[in-house]
Amino acid sequence: SDLNEDEQLQRRCRYLATAFGFGQGCCVNVYLSAGGYLGDKFQDKYFFVWMCAAVYITPLLIFALARRLDPYFDRHFGFRKVYQVRLAISMLLGALLVAGLIVPTLGAGGRASILTLGAAVGMVAGSVASASAQFFGVISPKLVPLFFLGQTASGAYVNVAARLSSFNPDCTDPSVIWYYFSGVLVSVLPAVFFFVNHCRGGLDPAYRRHHRLTPNTSLANVQALAREDGIDVQLQAEPPRCPCLSATTNEKAFIVRYAFLCQVCLIGLNISLTPLANVLAHGKFKLGQEIVLLKLLGDFVGRVLFFCLPAPRQLRLHLCLNWAVVALRLPVWLVLVGHALSKEPWFSDPVLLTIWLPFVVSAAFGGSWLQVLAIQAADEQEKRAIAARMNMAVYYGFVSGVVFAAVFAFAAG
């Protein structure tokens, strides 16, 4: 039955969304968590700022291309083919790039090679994040936070891997190699899971749903594309939409717009300080690496806590609560900026880490909350576009944060 098929698809996609988040997060987090090691290697406490700029800003190029070209590829090649590339092939490419980082990290190639590979990792990670938000968001709004849960769970994994391999600014070359390969191995697995489900037909219901919701495509064209994909799709032409906006439509648009802005603010405050980890540590690179690793662990804690929250019913109330979280975080952000600017540390290392952890956790918690809020407010046919838009908000937050950190580095340097 349709209900049984939908339950099976939901269960299958819960695992896949989490796996893709985990793999994508490992690619980025393995690169970022080397900030302390590389800062010590180059004796440059601002090098991590440029590492963050490389991995966080370049995805915007991918998003611009995707917005322009995705509809063309969707209509001409079908979802069965395009999502193999956007999800599985992109994930394999990300794993290959992480493996490539070993060479310049150990000495050959230097700063330019590390930043270039970091930019490539960022573009691939951005592509996987955007494709995952679109692919899973259409099936259920709750699947998108699972992607981000997997993404942040990779932060906990990276913490464990760093300690097991003894990866730190004073470590040996074998520790570096083992650490990077721990990220490569888990980054390959989501692609394997996807291809297994794809080949067994387990994702056919997802492809059918995407075909039904393809905008600006004629009924005949969608059915033809579905037949090419080997999928039997029964569609009914939709009645034309009324051009006048109802109060409900205005309410939904308001929620999506301000959820987007709130997401940018939440993420921006976090990322404005993360690239300055070695500055917050006042040049102590081991502490700087601990700040980054704790940030990755805090992201995971925040995403897990979100699942204790009941599904939002009163959307406007939940939006207001998220803006309240932003307002409460702002004084803490100002205190941390003051600590970074001061010639002498305001806080001891344990106190600094104690302030830092809940600051990070609150942003991860609110980020998942806002994703669900915006997608739930959208009409069925708009969910894919809203999922992509909220993913864009995350990266706008990244960019705003990195710009602040870069300005700080230039002013202080």
Side-chain angles (χ1 to χ4, degrees), residues 116-149:
T116 300
L117 284 169
V121 168
M123 287 191 284
V124 169
S127 174
V128 172
S130 179
S132 296
Q134 294 179 59
F135 184 78
F136 298 115
V138 164
I139 297 164
S140 170
K142 275 283 188 182
L143 292 175
V144 179
L146 280 175
F147 172 85
F148 287 107
L149 176 66

Side-chain angles (χ1 to χ4, degrees), residues 99-240:
L101 279 165
I102 295 173
V103 176
T105 300
L106 291 180
R111 302 184 189 208
S113 298
I114 290 169
L115 295 178
T116 300
L117 284 169
V121 168
M123 287 191 284
V124 169
S127 174
V128 172
S130 179
S132 296
Q134 294 179 59
F135 184 78
F136 298 115
V138 164
I139 297 164
S140 170
K142 275 283 188 182
L143 292 175
V144 179
L146 280 175
F147 172 85
F148 287 107
L149 176 66
Q151 186 186 65
T152 51
S154 71
Y157 170 80
V158 162
N159 273 265
V160 173
R163 282 156 177 75
L164 290 178
S165 61
S166 301
F167 179 69
N168 59 64
D170 299 325
C171 69
T172 61
D173 288 357
S175 293
V176 175
I177 294 170
W178 278 112
Y179 177 66
Y180 275 104
F181 265 111
S182 70
V184 172
L185 291 175
V186 297
S187 298
V188 169
L189 294 178
V192 174
F193 296 156
F194 182 91
F195 281 127
V196 168
N197 280 280
H198 172 87
C199 293
R200 291 180 174 178
L203 297 178
D204 285 355
Y207 300 137
R208 284 198 291 271
R209 188 166 300 186
H210 277 275
H211 277 297
R212 283 198 298 268
L213 299 177
T214 302
N216 302 321
T217 305
S218 69
L219 177 62
N221 190 27
V222 172
Q223 288 177 323
L225 282 170
R227 284 193 295 271
E228 288 178 15
D229 273 353
I231 299 171
D232 180 24
V233 178
Q234 298 299 323
L235 296 172
Q236 293 181 351
E238 294 187 14

Side-chain angles (χ1 to χ4, degrees), residues 3 27 52 104 111 119 165 209 225 228 239 279 311 341 344 351 396:
L3 180 60
C27 291
C52 290
R111 302 184 189 208
S165 61
R209 188 166 300 186
L225 282 170
E228 288 178 15
V279 182
L341 284 169
E344 295 296 327
V351 172
Y396 280 152

